Amino acid sequence: MGLGSADAYISMVSGLVGAVIGGWCTLNGATKAHGLALKKEEAADRERMITTLMLLRTEIVGSWELFHEECGDELLGQTEGTPFLSILPIGANPFPIFDSGPAALNLVPRELAKNIVHFYMRAKGLIAAIEMNNRDYDQALQHARLRLLTQAERAHQAGDEVSDETHDEVFNYSVAFMAGQLGMGDTADSIRSLTQELAPIVQRITEEVDKLFTPDLEHNRVS
């Protein structure tokens, strides 16, 4: 049986070599395309992480500064056990960025992510304490107004008038009395304690975020 001509073998070998080369080129092209896709995905993930962290930093620092402007400094200046006789309005959703559950948070470095979660857990506890203080102070005010009304009715029946000094004395005493009954001093101590705990956490977050993105900011400035 004939083994075929040399040309046939050459043609067959050439075909095999061509197929191997073609397959290698296809595989190499697919590998490069996959690598480029991974790089694009990594770049997109980093962009999402940067955007998320900058938004969270803005929310954290902004809410912290606002808290101190409205009551934080006054609270910390009070002695232990002193009720905080003021109402601090709290919005329905004070942390919209964090509560939106940004998926990019899982891309954040572990320690930074822990600090961010720690901040929001304690901050929400702080808000709950402030809301309790608001309700209690409102109740203390209602009690004081009722006492004033009773005082005015008695004075009217006796043909007397309530002086401004007596008015203020009755009002302030009634508020202080009800604040004590409601344990507002303990609530204020809780707010002060959480405020002191949060201060270094806020500082760590801002420093870590700024340090993490300083190269990016410098690069963008140069570009």
Side-chain angles (χ1 to χ4, degrees):
M1 179 182 295
L3 296 178
S5 66
D7 290 341
Y9 281 113
I10 292 173
S11 178
M12 181 178 67
V13 171
S14 297
L16 288 173
V17 171
V20 170
I21 293 175
W24 180 85
C25 289
T26 300
L27 178 61
N28 187 50
T31 302
K32 287 183 177 180
H34 181 64
L36 289 173
L38 286 177
K39 287 182 178 180
K40 288 181 66 176
E41 185 176 348
E42 289 174 0
D45 285 345
R46 180 168 178 79
E47 186 66 27
R48 284 195 296 272
M49 181 185 72
I50 291 173
T51 301
T52 299
L53 280 179
M54 295 308 291
L55 288 172
L56 288 172
R57 184 192 186 284
T58 300
E59 182 171 77
I60 290 169
V61 173
S63 60
W64 187 244
E65 290 178 348
L66 180 62
F67 167 72
H68 272 280
E69 288 174 5
E70 297 200 354
C71 73
D73 293 336
E74 180 182 351
L75 262 168
L76 293 176
Q78 293 179 330
T79 58
E80 184 178 353
T82 302
F84 182 60
L85 303 179
S86 183
I87 291 180
L88 178 64
I90 302 293
N93 184 15
F95 301 125
I97 297 174
F98 181 79
D99 289 339
S100 66
L105 194 59
N106 65 344
L107 302 171
V108 175
R110 181 178 177 81
E111 286 303 313
L112 179 54
K114 285 172 61 178
N115 280 323
I116 290 173
V117 172
H118 190 181
F119 168 82
Y120 281 104
M121 287 178 61
R122 290 293 183 266
K124 290 187 176 186
L126 177 64
I127 287 174
I130 291 173
E131 289 175 335
M132 177 185 293
N133 192 80
N134 288 347
R135 290 191 298 270
D136 289 346
Y137 183 51
D138 183 62
Q139 187 173 341
L141 290 175
Q142 291 181 32
H143 171 73
R145 294 186 188 108
L146 182 60
R147 286 291 303 274
L148 281 175
L149 181 60
T150 302
Q151 182 85 4
E153 288 177 349
R154 289 176 180 173
H156 178 71
Q157 291 173 359
D160 297 329
E161 291 185 0
V162 179
S163 66
D164 292 341
E165 183 179 352
T166 301
H167 177 282
D168 293 343
E169 182 180 341
V170 171
F171 183 82
N172 292 333
Y173 173 82
S174 300
V175 169
F177 172 79
M178 185 53 67
Q181 293 296 108
L182 295 172
M184 289 186 66
D186 292 336
T187 303
D189 286 344
S190 175
I191 296 173
R192 280 186 281 269
S193 176
L194 286 167
T195 301
Q196 292 167 349
E197 181 182 351
L198 280 166
I201 300 174
V202 174
Q203 183 176 356
R204 285 199 301 270
I205 291 172
T206 54
E207 289 177 352
E208 288 176 21
V209 172
D210 292 345
K211 182 179 179 181
L212 187 63
F213 297 131
T214 296
D216 294 275
L217 295 175
E218 291 296 332
H219 174 73
N220 292 336
R221 192 177 295 117
V222 172
S223 301

